[in-house]
Amino acid sequence: MKQILFSGMIGLVLSLLGTPALIRLLAKHGYGQMIRDDGPKAHASKRGTPTMGGIAFILATLIAYAATKVITGEKPTASGLLVLFLTTGLGLVGFLDDYIKVVKQRSLGLRAKAKLLGQSLVGLTFAILSLQFKDEAGRTPASTSLSFVQDFSWSIGPVLFVIWAYFMIAAMSNGVNLTDGLDGLATGASVMVFGAYVFIGVWQYGQTCAAMVTATSTCYDVRDPLDLAVVASALMGSCFGFLWWNTSPAKIFMGDTGSLALGGALAGLAICSQTELLLALLGGLFVIITLSVIIQVGSFRMTGKRVFKMAPLQHHFELKGWSEVLIVVRFWIIQGLCVAVGLGLFYAGWVTG
């Protein structure tokens, strides 16, 4: 358990102290956020705020994980490294998107096809590799069976699994990206979900089938649950430190660098902990905001009318006159409730299993 404490604290300190240095570096080179002309007018004042802040918590997470392994003498696991690969790989795609925005001074970065190609390359590579690296018990980081609080034992086969995993990764990374529209909103919501995965990893480690003489229906056949908790703790601590500078009024934005990375991390943790469908509840705010965009686009194409004043959903409430801080706090409350319900169902699954 020392690993979890070390990774969280190191990530927190590195991000808290390292983000100001990144802010100064980005400001020096003029890497400021471009603001959409069709967005809320209140956002005009944010033009020029340093972006690509995701660099801070991605690096903090990677260093925290590596330092924890050195301090404790524990070896990295395939599951932990794969989640970090997915996080960093999607962060790199987001970085290219952000870099084009600030260098070419336009609100849109990578072309849609190029961005999709990058996400596909990273996501599919993760999905394929997650079915490799068997341990001594024959377990791989991911399972081809669908899962909620644990595997249903309904195997969909490796091909369908890769497609399913890619869908999850794309959906969650884009969901966090859509949520990242107000100061601190996506960062704070992500902290809560990472906290949930620290709990899930620790619980699965304590109830792992490998530690039981006779496996029962209530044990968890997850390859590396404790190391997944270590990764989640590093991410939680790093995002917490970044939130100090990202909360309103934000001194820095995470950009696509951060939002794509966080979405990938959440999807990777869900896949490797065999809680894939549970992620829809744990990350409920991201799902709600994504659905608001789908509803808005669908309604406009079919009827020519808009359901919301503007999508994603947080901007609808901005145009209704809610203050940015009010929206963020209320959305955090919704996210907190989603995490509480998700963890409640996770525990109920163990009790009734």
Side-chain angles (χ1 to χ4, degrees):
M1 299 305 172
K2 290 188 296 184
Q3 292 186 72
I4 296 172
L5 294 175
F6 281 138
S7 64
M9 289 304 299
I10 295 172
L12 171 64
V13 172
L14 288 175
S15 184
L16 189 62
L17 299 180
T19 302
L22 180 63
I23 293 172
R24 291 191 293 270
L25 178 64
L26 294 173
K28 178 181 178 181
H29 290 86
Y31 292 166
Q33 177 70 38
M34 296 296 296
I35 302 298
R36 290 169 49 188
D37 295 330
D38 58 345
K41 291 182 173 58
H43 287 206
S45 61
K46 301 183 181 189
R47 190 183 303 273
T49 301
T51 187
M52 297 189 286
I55 295 172
F57 57 73
I58 293 173
L59 288 178
T61 297
L62 295 175
I63 295 172
Y65 180 82
T68 296
K69 296 303 178 182
V70 172
I71 293 170
T72 62
E74 298 290 340
K75 294 181 179 179
T77 67
S79 300
L81 293 175
L82 279 172
V83 173
L84 292 175
F85 161 76
L86 182 59
T87 302
T88 307
L90 289 179
L92 180 59
V93 175
F95 172 79
L96 293 175
D97 189 45
D98 289 331
Y99 187 77
I100 292 172
K101 290 176 185 176
V102 297
V103 169
K104 295 192 174 182
Q105 292 294 293
R106 68 186 193 198
S107 60
L108 296 176
L110 281 174
R111 301 298 180 188
K113 289 184 179 179
K115 193 171 183 180
L116 179 61
L117 178 61
Q119 289 177 295
S120 300
L121 180 61
V122 176
L124 291 173
T125 300
F126 167 85
I128 294 170
L129 291 178
S130 68
L131 295 178
Q132 314 303 316
F133 309 109
K134 291 182 179 180
D135 63 7
E136 59 277 3
R139 293 171 300 185
T140 54
S143 168
T144 57
S145 297
L146 292 176
S147 60
F148 182 47
V149 296
Q150 57 182 329
D151 271 0
F152 290 131
S153 298
W154 301 341
S155 178
I156 58 177
V159 175
L160 286 180
F161 166 78
V162 169
I163 297 172
W164 164 240
Y166 168 70
F167 169 77
M168 279 191 62
I169 293 166
M172 190 52 63
S173 59
N174 288 315
V176 177
N177 185 249
L178 291 171
T179 304
D180 182 35
L182 300 181
D183 295 352
L185 178 58
T187 310
S190 297
V191 166
M192 297 182 204
V193 189
F194 288 134
Y197 273 107
V198 172
F199 172 82
I200 288 172
V202 171
W203 187 266
Q204 289 179 333
Y205 177 70
Q207 310 297 329
T208 180
C209 297
M212 297 184 179
V213 177
T214 303
T216 67
S217 60
T218 56
C219 68
Y220 300 95
D221 199 25
V222 177
R223 189 189 192 281
D224 307 300
L226 183 59
D227 208 40
L228 291 175
V230 173
V231 172
S233 180
L235 285 160
M236 181 178 67
S238 299
C239 286
F240 237 135
F242 181 75
L243 184 59
W244 181 272
W245 306 102
N246 183 232
T247 194
S248 183
K251 301 295 187 296
I252 188 171
F253 299 139
M254 69 169 68
D256 282 13
T257 305
S259 60
L260 295 185
L262 292 182
L266 293 172
L269 288 169
I271 291 169
C272 291
S273 64
Q274 298 174 16
T275 55
E276 296 154 6
L277 297 177
L278 184 64
L279 181 59
L281 276 176
L282 293 174
L285 180 64
F286 305 125
V287 175
I288 291 169
I289 288 177
T290 301
L291 286 176
S292 73
V293 175
I294 295 172
I295 292 170
Q296 183 85 326
V297 173
S299 175
F300 186 76
R301 287 182 177 177
M302 289 188 293
T303 68
K305 296 181 180 180
R306 292 179 172 85
V307 176
F308 307 105
K309 290 179 178 294
M310 186 177 180
L313 188 60
Q314 61 268 31
H315 299 319
H316 166 79
F317 289 105
E318 275 192 290
L319 296 181
K320 283 179 68 69
W322 290 23
S323 70
E324 181 171 5
V325 173
L326 178 63
I327 297 168
V328 170
V329 172
R330 286 182 173 174
F331 276 34
W332 279 352
I333 292 172
I334 293 171
Q335 177 56 45
L337 291 172
C338 290
V339 167
V341 171
L343 288 179
L345 289 174
F346 176 78
Y347 180 72
W350 178 80
V351 171
T352 60

